[in-house]
Structure formats: structure tokens, C-alpha cells
Amino acid sequence: MTEKKKEQLLELAWRTAYDSATYDVKGDGTETDGFLDEAKEHIRNIDKDEWYPEARKILQVRGNIDDHKLAEEASTIFINKKMGSKNLKVTLGGDW
């Protein structure tokens, strides 16, 4: 994949992560509703400067990943770091 294609994929994945109208954050069942609500608020206002480095790392290892999966995986890493957790999983609808 060329650098230009990688950048296009990153931008498309970012748009999915940032603009997705439907999204959810789930845990392993040990989290409080308040904790999950806070995590969802962080996803709703996801920070591009924190998200992009995670997405770049994923893309370096898995160059054949699609934009939606990249958006979800980078968002999952982002939210786990943000919330000091290891059990959160982000799903994105991809519907802008």
C-alpha cells in the first residue's frame, strides 16, 4: 500500500471514528454505568491527536485492514488508555 493510500485509509477511518452517529462502548460487566457513560462521552468527543498514533500503529502491522475495523480498533485502544482500562470495546455504526 502506498503512503498516499495509507493516508486516505487513515482519514476515512478517522471520519468513521469521529463522525459516526451510532457508537457504543461495552465492558466486561465489571464497570459501573457511570464509568461506561464517561467512556461514551470520550468517544463522542474523540481526540484526533490521541487517536491517530494508535491507528498508525495498527496500520503498520496490519496493512490490509479496512477503514471501519481500523476505526474501531484504534478507538478501542484510545478509550482503554483514556479510561485506564483493558476491558472496553468500541463499536461504531459508520453512519455519518
Side-chain angles (χ1 to χ4, degrees):
M1 181 180 294
T2 67
E3 284 304 311
K4 183 178 179 181
K5 290 281 186 191
K6 285 180 184 177
E7 289 304 312
Q8 289 172 338
L9 180 62
L10 282 167
E11 185 60 29
L12 188 54
W14 165 248
R15 284 188 43 107
T16 299
Y18 186 75
D19 293 336
S20 188
T22 55
Y23 56 89
D24 199 10
V25 179
K26 298 209 185 286
D28 65 1
T30 62
E31 300 82 4
T32 65
D33 288 341
F35 183 82
L36 290 174
D37 289 344
E38 181 182 347
K40 288 174 188 174
E41 188 65 24
H42 285 300
I43 288 298
R44 193 169 72 94
N45 297 303
I46 197 164
D47 185 290
K48 186 175 186 175
D49 292 334
E50 294 179 53
W51 181 91
Y52 248 83
E54 302 306 335
R56 285 188 193 286
K57 288 178 200 172
I58 293 166
L59 195 52
Q60 285 176 352
V61 175
R62 298 181 47 210
N64 63 339
I65 194 169
D66 70 46
D67 60 289
H68 192 90
K69 188 74 173 160
L70 178 59
E72 287 184 333
E73 287 187 21
S75 297
T76 293
I77 293 168
F78 162 83
I79 201 60
N80 277 295
K81 283 185 175 181
K82 190 77 160 172
M83 299 300 293
S85 179
K86 294 183 179 171
N87 303 320
L88 300 176
K89 172 90 171 105
V90 175
T91 56
L92 303 167
D95 47 351
W96 311 335

